[in-house]
Amino acid sequence: MDTARRIGRDGEGVPAMMAATCQTHLSREESEILYGWTVLVPFSLDEEIWLPIETDNHESMVAGAPQVQPLAEKLAAAIDLPAETPATCDDLALSTWFTHRAMELATTHAGPWIKDLDTTFYVALFLRTAQHSIRRRCPIVCA
């Protein structure tokens, strides 16, 4: 399946700048693992599992959070994700932080992360999602 189709998830999802950041810092395979999953499980998988979805005529990827987390950490390091970004995010804590606090922090913590807040948000979202799945031992479904 074409990576661009999965990135957009029917026109919504990872913005083009996030895809560009992934292309710069990750291999194509790593990028697909990071943002191509539909189901994220809290345990390691030897390889991704592809499931056909007949109603949508596409495949759905199941990925292991322990494989996704280091890829998200690699991007977080590349963009210098601020330590102040919420580490445990319940409800809308991450979105709220980006909406209300990120610009304030940008005045004192400059870095590559501030150049594109959409990409920074998605890097944080994928990182915190993998961490949440592992910490809470729960699968996460992105539909």
Side-chain angles (χ1 to χ4, degrees):
M1 170 167 295
D2 181 18
T3 302
R5 182 170 169 206
R6 278 184 295 178
I7 293 170
R9 294 203 176 120
D10 299 321
E12 297 177 23
V14 178
M17 288 301 294
M18 173 69 174
T21 300
C22 287
Q23 288 174 351
T24 302
H25 300 286
L26 302 174
S27 71
R28 180 178 172 90
E29 180 180 295
E30 290 173 327
S31 295
E32 287 183 2
I33 292 168
L34 176 68
Y35 56 66
W37 57 267
T38 305
V39 179
L40 189 65
V41 294
F43 48 84
S44 257
L45 297 173
D46 291 336
E47 60 184 36
E48 298 70 50
I49 300 169
W50 290 92
L51 304 171
I53 308 295
E54 292 181 21
T55 57
D56 286 341
N57 197 27
H58 75 277
E59 291 182 313
S60 181
M61 183 207 301
V62 179
Q67 285 76 37
V68 170
Q69 182 176 337
L71 301 175
E73 288 172 341
K74 189 174 181 179
L75 290 183
I79 65 166
D80 193 23
L81 184 69
E84 294 84 354
T85 306
T88 55
C89 304
D90 293 322
D91 299 323
L92 296 173
L94 189 62
S95 295
T96 301
W97 186 85
F98 271 92
T99 302
H100 300 290
R101 300 283 315 216
M103 291 308 290
E104 179 183 315
L105 181 63
T107 61
T108 60
H109 184 80
W113 72 276
I114 194 63
K115 292 178 185 171
D116 180 10
L117 284 180
D118 288 344
T119 295
T120 302
F121 172 78
Y122 277 94
V123 169
L125 180 65
F126 281 99
L127 176 60
R128 299 310 186 221
T129 300
Q131 291 169 336
H132 178 87
S133 178
I134 293 167
R135 183 177 56 255
R136 298 270 176 103
R137 296 181 178 163
C138 66
I140 296 173
V141 177
C142 180

